[in-house]
Amino acid sequence: MQLSVLRILGKEATLGNPGTGKKLATWALALLLLSACDVVKLGSDGKPIIPADPTAGPDYSNQTPQQIAQEFWGPKILPAARSQALDWPALKQAQEKLAGTDTKSVYSKFSAKVGAVDADGMERKLTLNVNGDTVLLQLGPVIKGNAVRDAAGFIHFEDFKNQVQFAQVSRALNKQALGGLPAIDPSWVGQPVDVLAAFTLSHGSIDDGVALDIKRGASQ
């Protein structure tokens, strides 16, 4: 529309004075083109500063998995876990909706009683009795599964460099969870506890349990 107007103005001016009309149209077109250009600022090194793409996802390429886990933990993971946590009946309902090989990772908050503590080896476990169900929580240092990462819902594969970094972040989050737990030993057996944990559900099992928080001495 603007270019058409300029052409009309140039044509009209040409009718009175051909030289003036041509110059007017040329200058107007030049001003129009300049107004359409973005001004790019230069950095201290003289190179253009390219604005970040507002539609681009987060960039974790220069961070270690441990740094990413720490960045997520307090501001994002714990608030998400507390707000999204299912009570035990709701967790069981979510499990019942799964069919075939479907799985779903969730956070859950519940009260339980400690049935056993396996404090030896690299895959130590805490056995809990929850509303008649027997549930295992991993105490590490070896932790299996991605329940902590996947239950969050906001950590996506496409935000990372590759599958390796995505898996490394999951392991770092598991380690972050264990680092905040109290020392758990056989003296906990028979004690009531309040638990905030992540699990991966399938139609027939509740697996990969990792506690994000556990308090001894709570009442069921």
Side-chain angles (χ1 to χ4, degrees), residues 137-139 176-184 188 196 210-214:
L137 292 179
Q138 304 176 85
L139 299 179
Q176 186 80 28
L178 295 184
L181 299 182
I184 300 174
W188 284 55
L196 176 65
V210 179
L212 283 70
D213 188 28
I214 184 167

Side-chain angles (χ1 to χ4, degrees), residues 84-128:
Q84 298 173 18
L86 305 177
D87 61 21
W88 201 253
L91 180 147
K92 296 290 288 185
Q93 289 177 2
Q95 183 187 25
E96 290 171 1
K97 294 178 181 179
L98 298 173
T101 59
D102 293 344
T103 61
K104 179 181 180 65
S105 292
V106 299
Y107 297 121
S108 181
K109 187 175 182 179
F110 55 91
S111 295
K113 183 169 286 187
V114 178
V117 176
D118 177 3
D120 297 323
M122 298 295 288
E123 298 182 12
R124 300 179 302 132
K125 291 181 174 63
L126 178 68
T127 303
L128 301 178

Side-chain angles (χ1 to χ4, degrees), residues 9-80:
L9 289 173
K11 184 176 180 180
E12 290 178 348
T14 302
L15 293 175
N17 188 332
T20 302
K22 184 175 181 181
K23 290 180 180 179
L24 176 61
T26 301
W27 279 105
L29 180 58
L31 289 173
L32 179 62
L33 293 175
L34 286 173
S35 67
C37 297
D38 293 329
V39 177
V40 179
K41 295 182 179 180
L42 301 180
S44 58
D45 57 359
K47 295 181 180 180
I49 300 174
I50 307 301
D53 182 356
T55 64
D59 182 9
Y60 302 116
S61 58
N62 294 322
Q63 293 178 274
T64 67
Q66 292 72 27
Q67 290 172 331
I68 298 170
Q70 290 173 1
E71 178 181 312
F72 281 155
W73 194 255
K76 296 182 179 181
I77 293 289
L78 289 179

